[in-house]
Amino acid sequence: MTVTPSPAPTEPSDQELRSLDAHWRAANYLAAGQIYLLANPLLREPLTPDQIKPRLLGHWGTSPGLNLVHTHLNRAVKHRDLDAICIWGPGHGGPAVLANSWLEGSYTDTYPDVTRDADGMAKLFRQFSFPGGVPSHVAPETPGSIHEGGELGYSLSHAYGAALDNPGLLVACVIGDGEAETGPLAASWHGNKFLDPVHDGAVLPVLHLNGYKIANPTVLARLPEPELDALLRGYGHEPLYVGGDDPMTVHRAMAAALDTALDRIAAAQREAREEGRRDRPAWPLIVLRTPKGWTGPAQVDGVPVEGTWRAHQVPLDPVRDNPEHLAQLEAWLRSYRPEELFDEHGRPTEQVLAHVPDGHRRLGANPRANGGLLLRDLPLPALERYAVPVDKPGLTLHEPTRVLGDLLAQVMADTAGRRDFRLVGPDETASNRLQAVYDATGKAWQADTRPTDEHLSRDGRVMEILSEHTCQGWLEGYLLTGRHGLFSCYEAFVHIVDSMVNQHIKWLRTTRQIPWRAPIASLNYLLTSHVWRQDHNGFSHQDPGFVDHVLSKSPEAVRVYLPPDANTLLAVADHVLRSRDYVNVVVAGKQPCFDWLSLDDARAHCARGAGIWEWAGTDDGRREPDVVLACAGDVPTQEVLAAAALLRRHLPEVAVRVVNVVDLARLMPTEEHPHGMPDHEFDALFTRDKPVIFAYHGYPWLIHRLAYRRTVHPQLHVRGYKESGTTTTPFDMVVRNDLDRYRLVMDVIDRTPGLSVRAAALRQQMADIRTRHHAWIREHGTDLPEVTDWTWDA
């Protein structure tokens, strides 16, 4: 399906313009009413102080511009029968979007108690930014929204993500000029170089230049128009300009610009889909210049407000205690002539609703903005086809992410017809050993290609751009409109999206409490090229802290997995790709790694989340162990098993238990996380009072934080990354951070009662090997032979 041009002349008649203006005035009235009014919603009596909210919260400045865009999108959607959604980028534009949702009826459909009459209008006003009500920004509670407006910068990448593999969808995206100054937004202009006009929908950016942020002018609004035009054309767009402060003039210009833009989109899609045109279109873009706080108070207390930064939030404040402000507010609200816009029952008049679409065509009712309604399960293949054989632990090695890449290639192949799975990442798919996916699909690319390029494809479903922000935004938009995906990234640099994942987790937590929001596919991260194997890139590439960041968020929405080998990675991947409404973080290596578990054992181990590896320890189950060696992560697991082998050889009388943790949340109490262990289960696994030496992939204090309430915590000693890194050998990285096998044996001797004297010679031997290691790598540039040639032979 394409966006089709209107069969009739596109210029609206004077009657149509009056109807559009009536709708716009009604939306402006409702937006202002939400900020100010507790009662008397239709001004059927003079305003009194007790009818004003005690705390005036919200943002008026952006609302008139958003109302204008919504009004004209309504006309276009109804006139052309478009399948459309809109991303509302300007942060706290909630009053406008809520107002339009109420006018079109989608708000009442979603919240039946907020009826489309005077009583419902009163509830709409009261609940806005009020205890027990709704937020001041476009949020999960807002029908038709897939974009949390609390933080700026992500609207355009969300829009492109929504358009991918949605060939019949128009995604309008209003970008505030303050938002346009953010780094994520600046990078996301390049989304048009990845949008396939054949298989994807269209994105129509509307750059709203109202001139000001909270307290300052905006950069783009102050650019000379030729410079702004050159910038936007350089981004690959064909700008259309709308501006002014006379409503009817702006309505006429906006209707013409929107019709022109949609005609150009339809022509570009027709040329690509029917005529085979392959060059990248210059997609249209609308630049809308209107005053900030348009139609609001021109001056307050003799100071200019409309068209200045002072209109950003609440232009009249205080009102309850200032009779002049109260009178000015009433005059402002009455200037919209609500008696013409709402009937005696408070319902919108026919003139106001003349251009409002019906049913699912309404922007607040499109099912693509509630993507879980459209979500289908992924056709995941049987893991047996990809599992590596493990006859005995620790005899063979595989690159875990390469094994996973074969599975993902099959998922790509099996979704080729339905096109609802994407892999995103910042230029690292092959580096992260996932290049098998190129057997099933290429890398999305609409720009110029050269003979030396590889795997570039106009219809590819691998998305690579060297902007983690853009990757995240694309995937979020894709998931929120009912599809599946995976974000593969170097571990150290996923921190770039810390703030974005915060917002997505908040969205997920909120939607879990909203019955009408259907669950969406989880946001899945694969973090590889991790801290312990960035020995070649050095200190700048060594940071495992994203896990700490995520586990500090809403426990019902976050999960972290550290599979120790290829088969456990397959089992974890199968689980997270089937899951809903989570942020799943999977940390796995791409370098050759020992195979410890068969597929069946890996499945069972992952289902437990943490468990005893009986074959690795020396406790026979008939008595408590003398010491527990615990591990989480592939490199820590190898070092723990190497330490266990040394203890088996040199101190066979010591009962050693080896515990591996895949699901970090298992360390937390059940009261703090749904995956947490009850105390009796934790105590059975780790004991209540024996020394626990825990080798952890990341920063050691995270394990202490997760387990601080456990009985055994005073006996818990954690080794992990402690910001000691450089360009060096792989084993030297663990030695530098005291995570190596020899240090772990020394910890066992130091912390197990009775061993410090009896095993003093062994401790000295372990320390001497570490000293020899330092001299060896400086002479040979490689690790000790007993390390590089080590295998599990216990």
Side-chain angles (χ1 to χ4, degrees):
M1 175 184 174
T2 61
V3 177
T4 54
S6 169
T10 59
E11 183 174 351
S13 65
D14 290 343
Q15 181 179 353
E16 285 181 303
L17 288 175
R18 287 191 292 271
S19 295
L20 291 169
D21 186 65
H23 184 279
W24 179 62
R25 284 188 288 120
N28 286 340
Y29 178 82
L30 294 171
Q34 289 174 77
I35 295 173
Y36 284 98
L37 298 185
L38 266 181
N40 192 14
L42 289 165
L43 301 182
R44 298 275 169 80
E45 58 187 61
L47 269 182
T48 59
D50 62 302
Q51 295 169 348
I52 306 301
K53 291 183 176 182
R55 298 176 69 235
L56 299 180
L57 304 170
H59 290 65
W60 165 250
T62 189
S63 293
L66 299 187
N67 287 331
L68 184 84
V69 174
H70 205 300
T71 295
H72 283 266
L73 282 175
N74 280 344
R75 171 182 173 270
V77 168
K78 185 169 186 175
H79 188 54
R80 298 168 181 256
D81 190 29
L82 296 179
D83 185 9
I85 63 173
C86 188
I87 310 296
W88 306 98
H92 293 267
V97 183
L98 292 171
N100 283 279
S101 176
W102 186 85
L103 283 173
E104 71 182 17
S106 62
Y107 201 86
T108 301
D109 291 348
T110 307
Y111 304 103
D113 61 317
V114 186
T115 49
R116 198 159 49 153
D117 54 22
D119 289 341
M121 188 189 299
K123 289 182 179 179
L124 179 77
F125 288 0
R126 182 182 183 87
Q127 70 179 11
F128 178 80
S129 282
F130 203 79
V134 298
S136 66
H137 47 274
V138 182
E141 294 90 342
T142 309
S145 172
I146 67 164
H147 176 77
E148 169 66 64
E151 183 173 348
L152 302 179
Y154 314 138
S155 60
L156 190 55
S157 60
H158 283 162
Y160 278 107
L164 296 173
D165 296 323
N166 262 329
L169 185 66
L170 171 72
V171 186
C173 179
V174 184
I175 303 161
D177 46 358
E179 180 181 28
E181 296 176 9
T182 65
L185 197 287
S188 60
W189 287 113
H190 295 301
N192 57 14
K193 286 79 171 176
F194 299 84
L195 194 75
D196 177 13
V198 175
H199 296 95
D200 301 331
V203 174
L204 176 60
V206 179
L207 178 60
H208 185 207
L209 302 181
N210 63 25
Y212 294 90
K213 307 185 284 286
I214 294 175
N216 288 285
T218 57
V219 173
L220 295 188
R222 294 290 178 93
L223 290 182
E225 189 154 304
E227 185 177 344
L228 176 66
D229 189 76
L231 176 69
L232 298 176
R233 290 182 185 278
Y235 278 136
H237 284 287
E238 195 170 71
L240 300 165
Y241 292 91
V242 176
D245 57 7
D246 174 67
M248 299 310 289
T249 300
V250 174
H251 281 307
R252 190 178 300 278
M254 185 65 180
L258 190 53
D259 281 333
T260 299
L262 294 176
D263 286 345
R264 290 178 181 175
I265 288 171
Q269 291 178 333
R270 182 177 61 252
E271 290 169 359
R273 297 174 186 183
E274 300 175 13
E275 301 172 16
R277 183 172 177 176
R278 303 302 287 165
D279 56 328
R280 175 166 56 90
W283 296 102
L285 171 148
I286 294 175
V287 178
L288 174 63
R289 287 186 186 268
T290 58
K292 195 172 187 76
W294 191 18
T295 71
Q299 291 187 342
V300 177
D301 298 331
V303 176
V305 174
E306 183 187 29
T308 78
W309 54 269
R310 294 184 182 91
H312 181 75
Q313 290 178 295
V314 179
L316 278 166
D317 187 22
V319 176
R320 276 193 167 198
D321 304 322
N322 188 320
E324 291 183 4
H325 285 193
L326 181 64
Q328 191 172 3
L329 172 63
E330 183 167 359
W332 170 22
L333 293 175
R334 291 191 184 280
S335 73
Y336 297 117
R337 307 191 298 280
E339 67 279 2
E340 298 177 7
L341 308 174
F342 306 98
D343 66 17
E344 67 274 16
H345 303 291
R347 294 189 291 254
T349 64
E350 290 185 9
Q351 184 185 36
V352 167
L353 301 180
H355 296 287
V356 172
D358 300 317
H360 286 167
R361 287 298 192 237
R362 295 171 295 172
L363 293 179
N366 193 310
R368 298 187 190 281
N370 188 4
L373 296 174
L374 308 175
L375 186 65
R376 295 179 289 175
D377 291 342
L378 273 181
L380 293 172
L383 298 185
E384 286 78 4
R385 295 168 56 183
Y386 308 97
V388 301
V390 181
D391 296 326
K392 292 183 179 180
L395 295 183
T396 58
L397 298 97
H398 285 84
E399 298 165 315
T401 57
R402 189 182 298 274
V403 174
L404 176 64
D406 292 334
L407 181 143
L408 295 178
Q410 189 61 51
V411 175
M412 281 290 190
D414 292 342
T415 56
R418 30 189 281 184
R419 295 184 66 91
D420 60 352
F421 179 76
R422 294 248 176 176
L423 177 65
V424 305
D427 191 34
E428 295 160 2
T429 302
S431 175
N432 290 336
R433 310 290 195 268
L434 302 176
Q435 62 266 38
V437 296
Y438 298 143
D439 294 335
T441 187
K443 293 180 281 189
W445 187 254
Q446 300 296 318
D448 180 41
T449 58
R450 299 177 182 177
T452 53
D453 294 329
E454 291 186 339
H455 308 301
L456 299 183
S457 172
R458 294 189 180 276
D459 62 354
R461 286 181 291 134
V462 176
M463 309 288 291
E464 289 196 333
I465 186 173
L466 200 49
S467 164
E468 286 82 356
H469 288 124
T470 306
C471 291
Q472 173 94 10
W474 283 344
L475 185 54
E476 286 181 354
Y478 199 68
L479 300 176
L480 287 161
T481 47
R483 282 77 63 75
H484 303 261
L486 178 69
F487 185 174
S488 166
C489 188
Y490 280 15
E491 180 185 53
F493 303 128
V494 73
H495 275 295
I496 293 168
V497 301
D498 277 1
S499 189
M500 294 186 76
V501 73
N502 283 353
Q503 297 300 314
H504 192 73
I505 291 169
K506 292 176 188 296
W507 177 282
L508 292 178
R509 182 183 181 186
T510 303
T511 58
R512 285 170 173 265
Q513 302 163 7
I514 300 175
W516 58 269
R517 284 279 183 187
I520 63 170
S522 296
L523 172 57
N524 299 313
Y525 293 96
L526 174 65
L527 307 186
T528 186
S529 298
H530 61 56
V531 59
W532 302 111
R533 294 310 306 269
Q534 279 293 344
D535 42 271
H536 59 302
N537 279 321
F539 198 31
S540 64
H541 284 54
Q542 296 161 358
D543 187 338
F546 188 70
V547 167
D548 303 57
H549 176 70
V550 168
L551 279 179
S552 69
K553 306 304 172 186
S554 304
E556 62 267 41
V558 297
R559 304 288 186 267
V560 173
Y561 302 99
L562 288 93
D565 69 355
N567 284 338
T568 50
L569 176 57
L570 287 177
V572 166
D574 182 79
H575 169 71
V576 302
L577 290 172
R578 296 180 190 276
S579 69
R580 302 287 185 270
D581 274 356
Y582 295 134
V583 169
N584 294 308
V585 180
V586 182
V587 184
K590 68 180 185 181
Q591 302 295 343
C593 171
F594 281 108
D595 305 315
W596 304 113
L597 301 179
S598 68
L599 179 59
D600 287 342
D601 290 339
R603 281 172 164 154
H605 183 52
C606 291
R608 289 189 299 266
I612 300 170
W613 284 6
E614 296 179 359
W615 50 269
T618 56
D619 63 325
D620 55 12
R622 289 175 290 182
R623 62 185 179 93
E624 285 195 2
D626 297 312
V627 64
V628 176
L629 281 177
C631 48
D634 53 4
V635 169
T637 296
Q638 178 171 318
E639 292 307 303
V640 158
L641 291 179
L646 289 168
L647 291 168
R648 181 190 296 265
R649 183 183 313 138
H650 295 288
L651 295 172
E653 72 280 9
V654 177
V656 178
R657 173 177 293 177
V658 174
V659 174
N660 182 267
V661 179
V662 178
D663 179 353
L664 273 189
R666 294 289 284 154
L667 300 176
M668 302 171 71
T670 52
E671 300 83 6
E672 295 182 7
H673 197 283
H675 283 199
M677 284 191 225
D679 285 338
H680 70 272
E681 187 177 344
F682 190 95
D683 293 344
L685 196 60
F686 291 97
T687 77
R688 292 174 61 86
D689 57 2
K690 303 303 182 193
V692 178
I693 313 300
F694 201 124
Y696 171 55
H697 173 85
Y699 293 107
W701 41 85
L702 175 63
I703 302 301
H704 285 291
R705 178 166 69 84
L706 300 181
Y708 80 99
R709 289 170 54 186
R710 303 297 191 176
T711 305
V712 79
H713 186 255
Q715 301 297 324
L716 177 63
H717 180 62
V718 186
R719 294 292 187 182
Y721 182 67
K722 52 185 185 181
E723 287 293 312
S724 182
T726 186
T727 302
T728 186
T729 67
F731 188 66
D732 190 52
M733 272 299 297
V734 293
V735 173
R736 282 174 170 269
N737 290 276
D738 290 324
L739 186 68
D740 62 282
R741 59 199 69 178
Y742 306 115
R743 178 73 258 185
L744 296 176
V745 170
M746 294 163 66
D747 286 337
V748 169
I749 294 171
D750 292 344
R751 295 177 179 275
T752 303
L755 282 187
S756 59
V757 175
R758 181 157 53 93
L762 177 61
R763 191 188 192 286
Q764 179 175 295
Q765 180 184 345
M766 298 294 102
D768 290 346
I769 296 175
R770 285 166 54 90
T771 301
R772 181 161 57 88
H773 153 81
H774 290 297
W776 179 275
I777 64 170
R778 280 158 180 76
E779 179 179 353
H780 299 279
T782 60
D783 286 319
L784 291 167
E786 59 259 50
V787 172
T788 57
D789 298 337
W790 181 86
T791 59
W792 173 256
D793 60 358

